[in-house]
Short mmCIF file of all heavy atoms in Angstrom, two decimals:
data_model
loop_
_atom_site.label_atom_id
_atom_site.label_comp_id
_atom_site.label_asym_id
_atom_site.label_seq_id
_atom_site.Cartn_x
_atom_site.Cartn_y
_atom_site.Cartn_z
N ARG A 1 0.85 -1.19 0.00
CA ARG A 1 0.00 0.00 0.00
C ARG A 1 0.88 1.23 0.00
O ARG A 1 1.89 1.29 0.69
CB ARG A 1 -0.89 0.02 1.25
CG ARG A 1 -1.83 1.22 1.29
CD ARG A 1 -2.37 1.45 2.68
NE ARG A 1 -1.34 1.63 3.69
CZ ARG A 1 -0.65 2.74 3.90
NH1 ARG A 1 -0.84 3.80 3.16
NH2 ARG A 1 0.25 2.80 4.85
N VAL A 2 0.50 2.17 -0.81
CA VAL A 2 1.14 3.49 -0.77
C VAL A 2 0.04 4.53 -0.67
O VAL A 2 -1.04 4.36 -1.22
CB VAL A 2 2.04 3.77 -2.00
CG1 VAL A 2 3.22 2.81 -2.02
CG2 VAL A 2 1.28 3.68 -3.29
N SER A 3 0.34 5.59 0.05
CA SER A 3 -0.70 6.60 0.25
C SER A 3 -0.55 7.78 -0.71
O SER A 3 -1.53 8.45 -1.00
CB SER A 3 -0.70 7.10 1.70
OG SER A 3 0.57 7.58 2.04
N THR A 4 0.66 8.02 -1.18
CA THR A 4 0.85 9.15 -2.10
C THR A 4 1.79 8.76 -3.22
O THR A 4 2.96 8.49 -2.98
CB THR A 4 1.42 10.38 -1.37
OG1 THR A 4 2.62 10.01 -0.71
CG2 THR A 4 0.44 10.94 -0.37
N VAL A 5 1.28 8.76 -4.42
CA VAL A 5 2.09 8.43 -5.58
C VAL A 5 2.96 9.62 -5.97
O VAL A 5 4.09 9.46 -6.44
CB VAL A 5 1.19 8.01 -6.76
CG1 VAL A 5 2.03 7.71 -7.99
CG2 VAL A 5 0.35 6.81 -6.39
N ASP A 6 2.46 10.81 -5.74
CA ASP A 6 3.17 12.02 -6.16
C ASP A 6 4.46 12.29 -5.38
O ASP A 6 5.25 13.13 -5.76
CB ASP A 6 2.25 13.23 -6.09
CG ASP A 6 1.77 13.53 -4.69
OD1 ASP A 6 1.62 12.59 -3.89
OD2 ASP A 6 1.54 14.72 -4.39
N LYS A 7 4.70 11.57 -4.31
CA LYS A 7 5.92 11.76 -3.53
C LYS A 7 6.94 10.66 -3.79
O LYS A 7 7.84 10.43 -2.99
CB LYS A 7 5.58 11.85 -2.05
CG LYS A 7 4.78 13.09 -1.72
CD LYS A 7 4.57 13.25 -0.25
CE LYS A 7 3.74 14.52 -0.01
NZ LYS A 7 3.33 14.64 1.36
N GLY A 8 6.78 9.95 -4.92
CA GLY A 8 7.75 8.95 -5.30
C GLY A 8 7.58 7.59 -4.64
O GLY A 8 8.44 6.74 -4.77
N GLN A 9 6.49 7.39 -3.93
CA GLN A 9 6.26 6.08 -3.33
C GLN A 9 5.89 5.08 -4.43
O GLN A 9 5.12 5.39 -5.33
CB GLN A 9 5.14 6.15 -2.30
CG GLN A 9 5.49 6.96 -1.09
CD GLN A 9 4.37 6.98 -0.06
OE1 GLN A 9 3.24 6.63 -0.36
NE2 GLN A 9 4.68 7.39 1.14
N ASP A 10 6.44 3.90 -4.35
CA ASP A 10 6.21 2.87 -5.35
C ASP A 10 5.94 1.55 -4.65
O ASP A 10 6.79 1.05 -3.91
CB ASP A 10 7.43 2.76 -6.25
CG ASP A 10 7.27 1.77 -7.37
OD1 ASP A 10 6.18 1.17 -7.51
OD2 ASP A 10 8.25 1.57 -8.11
N PRO A 11 4.78 0.95 -4.86
CA PRO A 11 4.48 -0.32 -4.20
C PRO A 11 5.43 -1.43 -4.63
O PRO A 11 5.62 -2.41 -3.91
CB PRO A 11 3.04 -0.62 -4.61
CG PRO A 11 2.82 0.17 -5.85
CD PRO A 11 3.67 1.38 -5.72
N GLU A 12 6.03 -1.28 -5.80
CA GLU A 12 6.96 -2.32 -6.27
C GLU A 12 8.11 -2.52 -5.30
O GLU A 12 8.63 -3.62 -5.16
CB GLU A 12 7.47 -1.95 -7.66
CG GLU A 12 8.17 -3.09 -8.37
CD GLU A 12 7.30 -4.31 -8.62
OE1 GLU A 12 6.08 -4.16 -8.83
OE2 GLU A 12 7.85 -5.43 -8.61
N THR A 13 8.51 -1.46 -4.61
CA THR A 13 9.57 -1.56 -3.61
C THR A 13 9.18 -2.54 -2.51
O THR A 13 9.99 -3.38 -2.09
CB THR A 13 9.85 -0.17 -3.00
OG1 THR A 13 10.13 0.74 -4.05
CG2 THR A 13 11.00 -0.22 -2.02
N GLN A 14 7.96 -2.47 -2.05
CA GLN A 14 7.46 -3.37 -1.02
C GLN A 14 7.28 -4.78 -1.58
O GLN A 14 7.64 -5.77 -0.94
CB GLN A 14 6.12 -2.87 -0.48
CG GLN A 14 6.19 -1.52 0.20
CD GLN A 14 4.80 -0.99 0.51
OE1 GLN A 14 3.92 -1.73 0.92
NE2 GLN A 14 4.61 0.29 0.30
N LEU A 15 6.70 -4.86 -2.78
CA LEU A 15 6.41 -6.16 -3.38
C LEU A 15 7.68 -6.96 -3.64
O LEU A 15 7.69 -8.19 -3.46
CB LEU A 15 5.61 -5.99 -4.67
CG LEU A 15 4.20 -5.43 -4.49
CD1 LEU A 15 3.59 -5.10 -5.85
CD2 LEU A 15 3.32 -6.41 -3.74
N LEU A 16 8.73 -6.31 -4.06
CA LEU A 16 9.98 -6.99 -4.35
C LEU A 16 10.50 -7.74 -3.13
O LEU A 16 10.85 -8.92 -3.20
CB LEU A 16 11.03 -6.00 -4.85
CG LEU A 16 12.40 -6.57 -5.18
CD1 LEU A 16 12.32 -7.57 -6.32
CD2 LEU A 16 13.37 -5.46 -5.52
N VAL A 17 10.51 -7.08 -2.00
CA VAL A 17 10.98 -7.69 -0.76
C VAL A 17 10.08 -8.86 -0.36
O VAL A 17 10.55 -9.93 0.04
CB VAL A 17 11.05 -6.64 0.38
CG1 VAL A 17 11.39 -7.30 1.70
CG2 VAL A 17 12.04 -5.56 0.03
N LEU A 18 8.77 -8.67 -0.49
CA LEU A 18 7.83 -9.72 -0.13
C LEU A 18 7.94 -10.93 -1.06
O LEU A 18 7.86 -12.08 -0.61
CB LEU A 18 6.41 -9.17 -0.13
CG LEU A 18 6.12 -8.13 0.96
CD1 LEU A 18 4.80 -7.43 0.69
CD2 LEU A 18 6.14 -8.77 2.32
N ARG A 19 8.13 -10.69 -2.34
CA ARG A 19 8.31 -11.80 -3.30
C ARG A 19 9.56 -12.60 -2.97
O ARG A 19 9.55 -13.83 -3.01
CB ARG A 19 8.42 -11.25 -4.72
CG ARG A 19 7.14 -10.75 -5.30
CD ARG A 19 7.39 -10.27 -6.72
NE ARG A 19 6.30 -9.44 -7.19
CZ ARG A 19 6.42 -8.20 -7.65
NH1 ARG A 19 7.61 -7.62 -7.72
NH2 ARG A 19 5.36 -7.53 -8.05
N GLU A 20 10.64 -11.90 -2.66
CA GLU A 20 11.89 -12.57 -2.32
C GLU A 20 11.74 -13.41 -1.05
O GLU A 20 12.23 -14.54 -0.96
CB GLU A 20 13.02 -11.56 -2.15
CG GLU A 20 13.45 -10.92 -3.45
CD GLU A 20 14.44 -9.78 -3.27
OE1 GLU A 20 14.72 -9.40 -2.10
OE2 GLU A 20 14.92 -9.27 -4.29
N TYR A 21 11.05 -12.86 -0.07
CA TYR A 21 10.80 -13.58 1.18
C TYR A 21 10.04 -14.87 0.91
O TYR A 21 10.41 -15.94 1.40
CB TYR A 21 10.01 -12.67 2.13
CG TYR A 21 9.70 -13.29 3.48
CD1 TYR A 21 10.58 -13.16 4.54
CD2 TYR A 21 8.52 -13.99 3.69
CE1 TYR A 21 10.31 -13.71 5.77
CE2 TYR A 21 8.24 -14.55 4.92
CZ TYR A 21 9.13 -14.41 5.96
OH TYR A 21 8.87 -14.98 7.17
N ALA A 22 8.98 -14.78 0.12
CA ALA A 22 8.17 -15.95 -0.20
C ALA A 22 8.98 -16.98 -0.99
O ALA A 22 8.88 -18.18 -0.74
CB ALA A 22 6.93 -15.53 -0.97
N ALA A 23 9.78 -16.53 -1.92
CA ALA A 23 10.58 -17.44 -2.74
C ALA A 23 11.61 -18.18 -1.88
O ALA A 23 11.81 -19.39 -2.07
CB ALA A 23 11.28 -16.66 -3.85
N ARG A 24 12.25 -17.47 -0.96
CA ARG A 24 13.25 -18.11 -0.08
C ARG A 24 12.63 -19.23 0.74
O ARG A 24 13.31 -20.19 1.10
CB ARG A 24 13.89 -17.09 0.84
CG ARG A 24 14.96 -16.25 0.19
CD ARG A 24 15.80 -15.49 1.22
NE ARG A 24 15.05 -14.76 2.21
CZ ARG A 24 14.61 -13.49 2.07
NH1 ARG A 24 14.87 -12.84 0.95
NH2 ARG A 24 13.94 -12.90 3.02
N ARG A 25 11.37 -19.12 1.04
CA ARG A 25 10.70 -20.12 1.86
C ARG A 25 9.88 -21.12 1.04
O ARG A 25 9.16 -21.92 1.58
CB ARG A 25 9.81 -19.42 2.89
CG ARG A 25 10.69 -18.85 4.00
CD ARG A 25 10.06 -17.70 4.71
NE ARG A 25 10.94 -17.19 5.74
CZ ARG A 25 12.02 -16.43 5.52
NH1 ARG A 25 12.36 -16.11 4.30
NH2 ARG A 25 12.76 -16.00 6.51
N ALA A 26 9.99 -21.00 -0.28
CA ALA A 26 9.31 -21.90 -1.21
C ALA A 26 7.79 -21.87 -1.04
O ALA A 26 7.11 -22.87 -1.21
CB ALA A 26 9.85 -23.33 -1.07
N TYR A 27 7.26 -20.70 -0.71
CA TYR A 27 5.82 -20.52 -0.63
C TYR A 27 5.26 -20.41 -2.05
O TYR A 27 5.91 -19.91 -2.96
CB TYR A 27 5.45 -19.25 0.13
CG TYR A 27 5.80 -19.25 1.60
CD1 TYR A 27 5.93 -18.04 2.28
CD2 TYR A 27 6.01 -20.41 2.32
CE1 TYR A 27 6.24 -18.00 3.62
CE2 TYR A 27 6.33 -20.37 3.66
CZ TYR A 27 6.44 -19.17 4.31
OH TYR A 27 6.76 -19.14 5.64
N VAL A 28 4.04 -20.85 -2.23
CA VAL A 28 3.35 -20.72 -3.50
C VAL A 28 2.60 -19.39 -3.49
O VAL A 28 1.69 -19.19 -2.69
CB VAL A 28 2.36 -21.89 -3.73
CG1 VAL A 28 1.59 -21.70 -5.01
CG2 VAL A 28 3.11 -23.21 -3.73
N MET A 29 2.99 -18.50 -4.39
CA MET A 29 2.34 -17.18 -4.46
C MET A 29 1.01 -17.31 -5.20
O MET A 29 0.97 -17.74 -6.34
CB MET A 29 3.26 -16.21 -5.20
CG MET A 29 2.74 -14.80 -5.23
SD MET A 29 2.89 -13.95 -3.67
CE MET A 29 4.66 -13.99 -3.47
N VAL A 30 -0.06 -16.93 -4.52
CA VAL A 30 -1.38 -17.05 -5.14
C VAL A 30 -2.03 -15.70 -5.45
O VAL A 30 -3.08 -15.66 -6.08
CB VAL A 30 -2.35 -17.90 -4.28
CG1 VAL A 30 -1.84 -19.33 -4.18
CG2 VAL A 30 -2.54 -17.30 -2.91
N GLY A 31 -1.40 -14.61 -5.02
CA GLY A 31 -1.98 -13.31 -5.33
C GLY A 31 -1.15 -12.17 -4.82
O GLY A 31 -0.36 -12.31 -3.88
N GLU A 32 -1.31 -11.04 -5.50
CA GLU A 32 -0.70 -9.78 -5.08
C GLU A 32 -1.78 -8.71 -5.09
O GLU A 32 -2.57 -8.64 -6.04
CB GLU A 32 0.42 -9.36 -6.03
CG GLU A 32 1.62 -10.27 -5.98
CD GLU A 32 2.78 -9.77 -6.84
OE1 GLU A 32 2.70 -8.64 -7.37
OE2 GLU A 32 3.77 -10.50 -6.96
N TYR A 33 -1.80 -7.91 -4.06
CA TYR A 33 -2.83 -6.88 -3.90
C TYR A 33 -2.16 -5.56 -3.60
O TYR A 33 -1.32 -5.48 -2.71
CB TYR A 33 -3.78 -7.27 -2.77
CG TYR A 33 -4.48 -8.59 -3.02
CD1 TYR A 33 -3.88 -9.80 -2.68
CD2 TYR A 33 -5.71 -8.62 -3.63
CE1 TYR A 33 -4.51 -11.00 -2.94
CE2 TYR A 33 -6.36 -9.82 -3.89
CZ TYR A 33 -5.74 -11.00 -3.54
OH TYR A 33 -6.38 -12.19 -3.81
N VAL A 34 -2.51 -4.53 -4.36
CA VAL A 34 -1.90 -3.22 -4.21
C VAL A 34 -2.98 -2.16 -4.10
O VAL A 34 -3.90 -2.11 -4.94
CB VAL A 34 -0.98 -2.89 -5.40
CG1 VAL A 34 -0.39 -1.49 -5.24
CG2 VAL A 34 0.12 -3.93 -5.54
N ASP A 35 -2.89 -1.34 -3.07
CA ASP A 35 -3.81 -0.22 -2.90
C ASP A 35 -3.04 1.08 -2.90
O ASP A 35 -1.90 1.15 -2.43
CB ASP A 35 -4.56 -0.33 -1.57
CG ASP A 35 -5.78 -1.23 -1.66
OD1 ASP A 35 -6.65 -0.96 -2.50
OD2 ASP A 35 -5.85 -2.19 -0.87
N TYR A 36 -3.68 2.10 -3.43
CA TYR A 36 -3.15 3.47 -3.42
C TYR A 36 -4.11 4.30 -2.58
O TYR A 36 -4.99 4.95 -3.10
CB TYR A 36 -3.07 4.03 -4.85
CG TYR A 36 -2.12 3.26 -5.73
CD1 TYR A 36 -2.54 2.15 -6.45
CD2 TYR A 36 -0.79 3.65 -5.83
CE1 TYR A 36 -1.67 1.45 -7.25
CE2 TYR A 36 0.09 2.95 -6.63
CZ TYR A 36 -0.35 1.84 -7.34
OH TYR A 36 0.51 1.14 -8.14
#
């Protein structure tokens, strides 16, 4: 979740870390949800 796009916030920054965490633990990714 990011609250302001105009200040350079990018949800991809958060998602990247979360994807890596899930991959390291061999979790099966079933969805990604992003809110602004």
Side-chain angles (χ1 to χ4, degrees):
R1 182 197 57 78
V2 295
S3 56
T4 55
V5 178
D6 63 329
K7 294 186 180 171
Q9 293 181 344
D10 183 3
E12 193 62 32
T13 305
Q14 298 171 40
L15 293 171
L16 179 63
V17 174
L18 293 168
R19 287 181 196 124
E20 290 172 354
Y21 181 89
R24 281 194 310 272
R25 285 155 181 76
Y27 294 159
V28 176
M29 185 74 61
V30 296
E32 292 185 7
Y33 300 85
V34 178
D35 276 303
Y36 297 88

